[in-house]
Amino acid sequence: MKKLTGITAAAVLLGSTGFAAAADGAVSLESGKDIDMVLLPKFLGILVFDQANEGAQEAHAELGNPGELLFVGPTPENSTAGQIEIMTTSATQGQGAVMLSNNAGDQISPSALAAQKAGTKVVTWDSPIPSGEGEDVFVAQVDFGSIGVVMADMAHSILDGAGEMAVLSATPDASNQNAWIASMKEVLESDEKYADITLVDVVYGDDQAEVSYNRALALVDQHPDLGVIMSPTTVGIQAAAKAMQDEGLCEQVRVSGLGLPSEMASYTMNGCAPEFALWDFRDLGYLTYYTAYGLASGQLTGELGETFTAGRMGDYTIEQDPGREGSKRILMGPFTVYNAENVEAAAK
Amino acid sequence: MKNAMNRLRSWEGFLLCALIFIILMNASLSHQFLSFSNVINLFQLSIEKIIVALIMTFIIINAEIDLSVGSMMGLSACAFGVLVQQGVPGGLAILICLSIGVLGGALNGWFIAKVGLPSLVVTLATLIGFRGLARVLVEDRGINDFPDWFDALGQKGIIAGVPFALIAFVVLFVILYVVLQRSGFGRKTYVIGTNRDVADFAGVDTARHKMIIFIASGVISAFAGLLYAARVGAVRGDVALGFELDIITIVLLGGVSIFGGTGTLTGTLLAILIVLSLRNGMALLNVTGHIQTGVIGLLLIASVIAPRIDLSRVFGGGGQQRTQK
């Protein structure tokens, strides 16, 4: 009853005064609710997803949930069908919530809608459902629009204001990747500052190290004047940096994008990847868990404007997703740009 | 021949025992396993693969292989997406996609049956070619604005909660069962698979026979691709990528010899039920994808080895030399 009045109070507060007052009405989640949850990554065997799992496990322990937190995912070659299968199975099992980093595009929607109908909350993180159908809320790591600015800025600084850039992405239908690339294109076109930077190509390495490595080398062959490879994926940026290092091309072509300090430190120090950015996947897993726990235990309603406290990370508010009309998001932000000065400390 | 029939019967008997064992295990470990909705889901999650597995049984008994089925599924699904997006009515789009299946199958069949190239090579080429076409059609987009009736067909039950695709599977199974196990066409399929030269000398038009089977494979794959598009309500270039391996795995597990001439649709059906129950059971027990793949792989190895050990006893090993070269 107490929590109910809390929510009502928050809703009333928000209704009358809007976002500014949100901090006062933040819902504090009661711990100890028994809720089974599933953390479903794009596929298994990627470090950042393991880190997200660590964050979720941390929140799981902190909230004292006697239920089970499962980390299950498909194999890389079976990602789409596997995610649909796990989503369907979770609904059958009566899981309280599925936390999904979507790799199936809109193909996940029918199974996600069915899961919601069966009473399972669907919280996406890292990569949302493009249409928003079947999704309760998306926990966004950073503002998708601002990633474009950061990538454009890194390219600008590496190229010293002028030169050719190519993008090495993950899979052609990863909605997060596409949104970031689109946002970067927009920034490049709209701001005079980037007038001398040309985006010459966008290629896909499928988030597999070997494919990405070969795609990076192919880019250098096809574009002799290429100055920077921008890879907004941790697998791609590392593979590209290794390719440039192996072929002794680091003087000519630099690598940048989104990478993990622990994987990128050596390339940053030797100049192959002088600058890159990322957010903390542990925090993302942690915040996602709090969100899903709140929704599945009924302590959060998932309404726009609702604010809650996510443990050590502070208060967050459910808001309209500017990139996807009619969908909701919780914005984690901000992210860190790593260079020779701070990368080694972060890699530890 | 009689020994072979006995062996076959015992292999199917073995599959049946394995199936019963798996179902009992699943039912005791997970109380959701035998629920109506889970049984429907169990079929729905792989419905496109198991439909194609039926026609793949014909192909492999005929001593051929069709690696292009997954790509044809993808091509058909993507073609449907693009057509609907261009404003073509859904019904007409479906007809066009099935026609693409006929053409693709005829292309395979022509090279294999008339030109005489090995099906492994021809369908490997069309595996790449059909997939390439699918990717060219949709580029890097996803398409999801299908007509509502089309989505409903793939996602909702039409008779007593049973979805259209599952009914189509059952109907197709009955038809193909009669054709393979009870008709002259079926007998020819076995004869050609056992020894094409003998069939030729006996006056069987083997080229025409193979042509028909490959066209059937193309059109059924195209149909399955449409079912996939309806079930997930969206398509993109990688639809059904790699499905051919799962499909062939099921058929081989069902006791169909990769060298042709032996196997039955009953065996394929049992293998389908085994693989689906096993996967579903493991999923309900939260076994991750890597281990699931490993278990299915072990099953396949067992299915290839078990009959061979049996055969070498029956024929004293002599019958194996030819195939091991």
Side-chain angles (χ1 to χ4, degrees):
Chain A
M1 197 58 215
K2 202 171 159 196
K3 75 170 192 255
L4 254 179
T5 39
I7 292 170
T8 325
V12 169
L13 246 163
L14 286 165
S16 53
T17 57
F19 285 57
D24 304 307
V27 177
S28 173
L29 298 176
E30 215 173 292
S31 60
K33 305 279 179 198
D34 187 353
I35 295 152
D36 290 331
M37 298 207 264
V38 174
L39 187 68
L40 171 53
K42 288 182 178 173
F43 39 81
L44 296 172
I46 302 282
L47 182 59
V48 292
F49 295 142
D50 294 342
Q51 292 183 341
N53 182 36
E54 283 170 25
Q57 296 289 354
E58 180 195 342
H60 184 67
E62 206 170 277
L63 283 164
N65 180 355
E68 212 177 346
L69 169 60
L70 288 164
F71 182 58
V72 282
T75 48
E77 75 285 351
N78 187 39
S79 180
T80 301
Q83 287 203 318
I84 293 171
E85 188 173 338
I86 293 169
M87 181 65 77
T88 306
T89 310
S90 300
T92 306
Q93 291 171 325
Q95 299 282 353
V98 174
M99 297 169 273
L100 163 77
S101 168
N102 182 27
N103 201 32
D106 282 321
Q107 299 177 41
I108 198 83
S109 283
S111 55
L113 282 167
Q116 285 183 320
K117 218 172 136 195
T120 302
K121 299 291 177 189
V122 179
V123 176
T124 54
W125 52 283
D126 178 48
S127 177
I129 300 175
S131 65
E133 275 177 51
E135 171 191 279
D136 285 283
V137 65
F138 168 50
V139 181
Q141 45 274 63
V142 284
D143 183 73
F144 276 19
S146 73
I147 294 189
V149 180
V150 166
M151 290 201 298
D153 276 343
M154 290 192 299
H156 188 270
S157 113
I158 290 171
L159 291 170
D160 228 356
E164 286 189 356
M165 160 167 66
V167 170
L168 171 64
S169 179
T171 50
D173 211 54
S175 41
N176 51 355
Q177 295 276 322
N178 289 347
W180 302 339
I181 296 167
S183 123
M184 187 180 73
K185 281 182 183 164
E186 213 178 292
V187 172
L188 289 176
E189 278 161 24
S190 60
D191 196 329
E192 268 303 298
K193 181 179 162 193
Y194 311 109
D196 295 328
I197 297 176
T198 335
L199 178 61
V200 291
D201 212 344
V202 178
V203 297
Y204 301 91
D206 295 342
D207 255 356
Q208 295 184 21
E210 199 185 320
V211 183
S212 304
Y213 187 98
N214 293 332
R215 291 280 189 280
L217 291 179
L219 276 176
V220 180
D221 288 341
Q222 281 162 19
H223 307 284
D225 296 327
L226 190 66
V228 61
I229 295 176
M230 187 63 63
S231 184
T233 151
T234 59
V235 180
I237 189 174
Q238 190 191 9
K242 184 166 192 324
M244 296 309 116
Q245 178 187 275
D246 291 354
E247 299 292 316
L249 292 163
C250 287
E251 285 302 307
Q252 183 194 337
V253 184
R254 314 286 178 137
V255 177
S256 185
L258 304 179
L260 279 167
S262 57
E263 291 177 347
M264 296 303 293
S266 64
Y267 303 111
T268 302
M269 297 317 286
N270 71 13
C272 291
E275 260 186 8
F276 65 94
L278 199 67
W279 51 88
D280 192 325
F281 268 84
R282 281 186 199 86
D283 286 350
L284 185 59
Y286 182 90
L287 177 57
T288 303
Y289 185 95
Y290 262 86
T291 310
Y293 174 86
L295 288 169
S297 63
Q299 303 184 66
L300 296 178
T301 56
E303 297 295 315
L304 284 176
E306 191 172 32
T307 298
F308 65 100
T309 309
R312 62 170 165 82
M313 288 177 67
D315 290 356
Y316 288 89
T317 302
I318 298 174
E319 57 183 34
Q320 163 70 41
D321 189 335
R324 296 176 307 140
E325 211 179 313
S327 302
K328 297 171 200 162
R329 76 162 183 192
I330 290 168
L331 180 60
M332 183 174 90
F335 52 107
T336 316
V337 175
Y338 296 99
N339 54 32
E341 280 159 29
N342 62 359
V343 71
E344 283 185 310
K348 278 172 192 143
Chain B
M1 192 64 198
K2 195 149 185 258
N3 280 333
M5 284 308 289
N6 281 337
R7 180 188 65 80
L8 214 58
R9 214 168 279 146
S10 72
W11 177 248
E12 281 161 11
F14 170 76
L15 288 179
L16 188 63
C17 294
L19 177 63
I20 292 169
F21 175 73
I22 290 166
I23 289 177
L24 288 178
M25 281 286 286
N26 285 347
S28 66
L29 291 171
S30 163
H31 63 274
Q32 297 108 344
F33 179 71
L34 288 176
S35 72
F36 176 73
S37 65
N38 187 59
V39 172
I40 295 290
N41 282 339
L42 173 154
F43 282 104
Q44 274 290 83
L45 285 171
S46 307
I47 193 76
E48 304 85 13
K49 290 179 191 169
I50 66 178
I51 283 176
V52 178
L54 298 177
I55 190 67
M56 187 65 84
T57 306
F58 276 71
I59 300 230
I60 299 183
I61 288 176
N62 210 236
E64 303 288 354
I65 194 87
D66 188 350
L67 298 175
S68 70
V69 289
S71 296
M72 175 52 78
M73 291 162 81
L75 175 58
S76 156
C78 289
F80 181 81
V82 171
L83 287 168
V84 167
Q85 207 176 37
Q86 300 295 324
V88 177
L92 181 61
I94 289 176
L95 278 180
I96 295 173
C97 291
L98 294 178
S99 313
I100 292 174
V102 172
L103 286 176
L107 182 73
N108 281 336
W110 188 76
F111 276 112
I112 293 160
K114 310 279 182 186
V115 182
L117 294 175
S119 52
L120 186 75
V121 178
V122 173
T123 60
L124 181 63
T126 48
L127 173 150
I128 300 166
F130 295 161
R131 178 63 60 189
L133 269 179
R135 290 206 190 271
V136 167
L137 278 177
V138 299
E139 291 165 344
D140 297 334
R141 294 170 295 157
I143 301 174
N144 68 336
D145 39 6
F146 298 154
D148 287 340
W149 60 265
F150 185 74
D151 284 341
L153 205 60
Q155 294 157 24
K156 296 198 168 61
I158 55 165
I159 301 172
V162 181
F164 170 75
L166 185 49
I167 294 168
F169 169 76
V170 173
V171 170
L172 194 66
F173 176 81
V174 171
I175 294 173
L176 292 183
Y177 183 87
V178 171
V179 171
L180 184 63
Q181 252 63 74
R182 296 276 182 272
S183 79
F185 188 88
R187 277 190 295 280
K188 282 183 204 164
T189 306
Y190 283 102
V191 171
I192 296 169
T194 309
N195 193 326
R196 185 177 178 177
D197 294 338
V198 169
D200 271 327
F201 284 127
V204 177
D205 189 345
T206 55
R208 181 172 166 271
H209 192 93
K210 285 186 190 296
M211 192 75 177
I212 292 172
I213 291 182
F214 274 96
I215 289 177
S217 177
V219 74
I220 290 174
S221 301
F223 175 66
L226 292 171
L227 290 177
Y228 182 90
R231 175 164 69 87
V232 303
V235 295
R236 60 184 193 196
D238 66 354
V239 161
L241 190 69
F243 278 20
E244 59 278 349
L245 292 182
D246 290 343
I247 292 164
I248 294 168
T249 303
I250 288 175
V251 175
L252 296 185
L253 182 61
V256 178
S257 164
I258 193 74
F259 307 110
T262 54
T264 62
L265 266 178
T266 317
T268 300
L269 180 66
L270 286 168
I272 286 171
L273 296 174
I274 285 178
V275 169
L276 265 47
S277 311
L278 199 59
R279 281 198 76 100
N280 181 258
M282 287 192 285
L284 284 174
L285 295 174
N286 305 310
V287 175
T288 59
H290 292 293
I291 298 175
Q292 289 191 25
T293 309
V295 171
I296 303 280
L298 281 178
L299 250 183
L300 181 64
I301 292 174
S303 78
V304 174
I305 289 175
R308 287 174 79 97
I309 292 169
D310 203 353
L311 255 189
S312 62
R313 276 199 201 127
V314 173
F315 296 112
Q320 289 304 294
Q321 298 308 317
R322 176 176 51 91
T323 52
Q324 274 173 349
K325 267 191 286 202

